Amino acid sequence: MVVGSDAVQPRSTIYSMTFPEMRMRRLRRSDSLRALVRETNVEPGDLIYPLFLCPGEGVRKEVGSMPGVFNLSIDEAVREAEEAASLGIAGLLLFGLPEAKDEQGTGAWDENGIVQQGLHALRQSAASKKLVLIADVCLCEYTSHGHCGVIIEGRDGFEVDNDPSLDLLARTAVSQAKAGADIVAPSDMMDGRVAAIRTALDKAGCAQTPILSYASKFASAFYGPFREAADSAPQFGDRKTYQMDGANLREAMREIDLDLAEGADMILMKPAMPYLDVIRAARERVDVPIGAYQVSGEYSMMQAAFAKGWLDRDRAILESLLGIRRAGADFAVTYFAKEAAKLLG
Ligand code: PBG
């Protein structure tokens, strides 16, 4: 079903009938009537499931702040992928917890890095025929300082240095594409990274690999639980010099325009629930496919409410995803992907 820019227009002047001749409740009387007039839907094929890969074998370690989310060794991730594929989920978004971290984040572009190994294994599994494998491109899981780029001494102490980070991100994307990623998704928010990645991919013979850029990524409190899951909390400072200020809608549009000008094939909006207006604005502005990321904090707060018995679990999950679709996103990245797909199936 189309979630289009013409979804809401002021057309009320052409209808002359009002109550009691007109009754809105007529079309809400039964399940089948409601289904007939439903404007937006969510399907398993609209969902992307994030996985956190870690070293070892048979590892399935639950993340404390994210019940139902695990650090998975590659063998376990393959099993998870097979289940996701059988549920009709569209794809996976892969993050990695490396064996060791360093200043530069060399684990990110290591040919034998955790995500690269995971991609090789997933490629060999039957699941990969049905799933789109998306690799998150960032350095924060691999750097000892936990920032998304190279650190230098700046005027006011440390700074994340933009330009030297680009080469490292581009190398990361190329190594992931070569290892079997269908799509690379840069989430670092360095300026110019989409162009740097596109150029590097093309040079490396990966001209067919699309870029899904996290074009509109806000510095958000809602990433908190993820940083436990990916062990990627910044060791000092915060991410406000590279991720966007939550107050700025117009700036988000400029980020999107620039990423598309640099060659992004699709864009990802993040977080979702506190920024549904930004998703809607993006939908009305551009015609590329748009994804939205229901981030860790959105997931965890809902889980907390479910644990308390304060929200109806099944309905709240589907309603949260419907809201993302109605705002204009074509697909949603969500930790609820498996559960939602089961509910929808
Ligand atoms: C890495 C990255 C983050 C998330 C996705 N990619 C964390 C961050 O920016 O700190 C957050 C995802 C989530 O919260 O679920 N840069």
Side-chain angles (χ1 to χ4, degrees), residues 181-251:
D182 291 306
I183 298 176
V184 291
S187 67
D188 53 282
M189 291 302 279
M190 298 300 123
D191 288 321
R193 93 275 205 202
V194 174
I197 290 171
R198 184 71 271 155
T199 305
L201 285 172
D202 290 357
K203 241 195 240 162
C206 304
Q208 297 296 331
T209 304
I211 299 174
L212 166 64
S213 82
Y214 289 66
S216 169
K217 177 170 176 179
F218 292 93
S220 173
F222 289 89
Y223 306 149
F226 172 95
R227 293 179 187 171
E228 184 191 337
D231 187 25
S232 66
Q235 297 305 300
F236 48 85
D238 54 41
R239 302 211 204 286
K240 290 183 187 156
T241 67
Y242 43 108
Q243 298 179 352
M244 265 187 295
D245 184 335
N248 295 353
L249 174 76
R250 292 192 301 262
E251 186 186 346

Side-chain angles (χ1 to χ4, degrees), residues 149-163:
V150 175
I151 296 287
I152 51 159
E153 260 318 291
R155 196 188 56 189
D156 309 310
F158 90 93
E159 251 171 48
V160 176
D161 199 5
N162 195 85
D163 299 6

Side-chain angles (χ1 to χ4, degrees), residues 52 66 95 136 138 140-141 148 187-188 214 217 222-224 226-227 232 239 243 270 293-297 335:
F52 299 97
M66 300 180 74
F95 297 95
D136 183 89
C138 198
C140 64
E141 298 126 68
C148 306
S187 67
D188 53 282
Y214 289 66
K217 177 170 176 179
F222 289 89
Y223 306 149
F226 172 95
R227 293 179 187 171
S232 66
R239 302 211 204 286
Q243 298 179 352
K270 177 179 170 192
Y293 199 144
Q294 181 178 55
V295 299
S296 56
Y335 302 99

Side-chain angles (χ1 to χ4, degrees), residues 245-326:
D245 184 335
N248 295 353
L249 174 76
R250 292 192 301 262
E251 186 186 346
M253 299 303 113
R254 293 190 67 204
E255 282 283 4
I256 291 167
D257 290 348
L258 287 167
D259 280 10
L260 293 178
E262 287 180 27
D265 299 279
M266 305 187 270
I267 56 172
L268 195 58
M269 316 290 294
K270 177 179 170 192
M273 193 142 50
Y275 297 89
L276 292 172
D277 58 320
V278 187
I279 298 173
R280 165 54 48 190
R283 173 76 294 159
E284 284 171 11
R285 188 180 186 89
V286 299
D287 294 324
V288 294
I290 296 179
Y293 199 144
Q294 181 178 55
V295 299
S296 56
E298 299 175 57
Y299 174 84
S300 296
M301 72 180 175
M302 286 169 68
Q303 288 286 7
F306 302 154
K308 291 265 192 192
W310 288 345
L311 286 176
D312 177 326
R313 182 178 187 102
D314 296 355
R315 290 184 58 208
I317 290 172
L318 294 182
E319 191 174 335
S320 70
L321 297 171
L322 190 67
I324 290 169
R325 291 269 299 129
R326 196 189 56 247

Side-chain angles (χ1 to χ4, degrees), residues 123-131:
R123 269 277 148 251
Q124 275 157 32
S125 77
S128 69
K129 305 261 176 318
K130 294 196 188 150
L131 294 170

